[in-house]
Amino acid sequence: MLILTLDNDNHQELATTLSEDGWVAACLCAAWCGSCREYFANFTALAQRHPHVQFVWIDIEDQAELIGDLDVDNFPTLLIQRGDVVAFLGPVEMDLRLAERILLAQMEKSTPELQAEAQSSTERRHWQLEANLLRRLADI
């Protein structure tokens, strides 16, 4: 399975990957969003190129309990997390190359670098509190 489509029955699979300090690239989307449906092909291609990363498709309406009050203003939105550190959160263009550059840039960083960046700005500290999937999964 290249992409884990998150549902209420497979939360533990995602939690296990994160608790084992694994990389997760999650697309936050909505079923009604045409751009998200189009982006799925690019997201799948990215997953094929990086099989060591857990790719997750999260419909923010189907998973409203998990997403909570996290503001997702634009679709698709990419969330990249390693273990307990949210490395990136933001909307992405439809271009596969851009998403891959973002992913690779994060994966090149050491754990201390990721942790330092996580605390480097108000926005990034907010990501750690509001967008951390491992913590959100533990809360539901």
Side-chain angles (χ1 to χ4, degrees):
M1 169 177 48
L2 288 175
I3 298 175
L4 175 67
T5 300
L6 200 64
D7 62 36
N8 293 335
D9 296 326
N10 61 14
H11 284 181
Q12 187 56 48
E13 189 173 340
L14 176 57
T16 297
T17 298
L18 290 167
S19 66
E20 294 173 352
D21 204 34
W23 282 99
V24 168
C27 184
L28 306 178
C29 59
W32 52 263
C33 174
S35 295
C36 292
R37 288 192 301 272
E38 288 179 38
Y39 189 70
F40 190 78
N42 283 345
F43 198 64
T44 300
L46 191 59
Q48 290 171 333
R49 293 167 69 147
H50 301 281
H52 53 287
V53 175
Q54 174 66 70
F55 285 80
V56 184
W57 194 259
I58 303 175
D59 185 307
I60 65 166
E61 292 176 347
D62 289 348
Q63 293 298 308
E65 185 178 6
L66 173 65
I67 297 303
D69 57 358
L70 179 63
D71 288 331
V72 178
D73 295 327
N74 294 304
F75 295 114
T77 291
L78 186 63
L79 188 156
I80 300 173
Q81 183 168 337
R82 179 178 178 200
D84 197 35
V85 178
V86 178
F88 178 84
L89 175 64
V92 291
E93 299 292 325
M94 300 299 283
D95 184 356
L96 167 66
R97 294 171 297 173
L98 177 60
E100 186 167 41
R101 282 195 307 267
I102 293 168
L103 177 62
L104 291 174
Q106 299 311 312
M107 292 175 62
E108 289 175 357
K109 297 173 186 169
S110 68
T111 299
E113 288 173 315
L114 287 170
Q115 292 170 337
E117 276 193 3
Q119 299 304 315
S120 68
S121 69
T122 301
E123 178 184 43
R124 288 179 180 266
R125 287 189 297 275
H126 179 74
W127 294 352
Q128 308 316 307
L129 294 172
E130 298 300 324
N132 187 309
L133 294 173
L134 185 59
R135 293 179 189 172
R136 286 187 166 277
L137 287 165
D139 289 344
I140 58 172

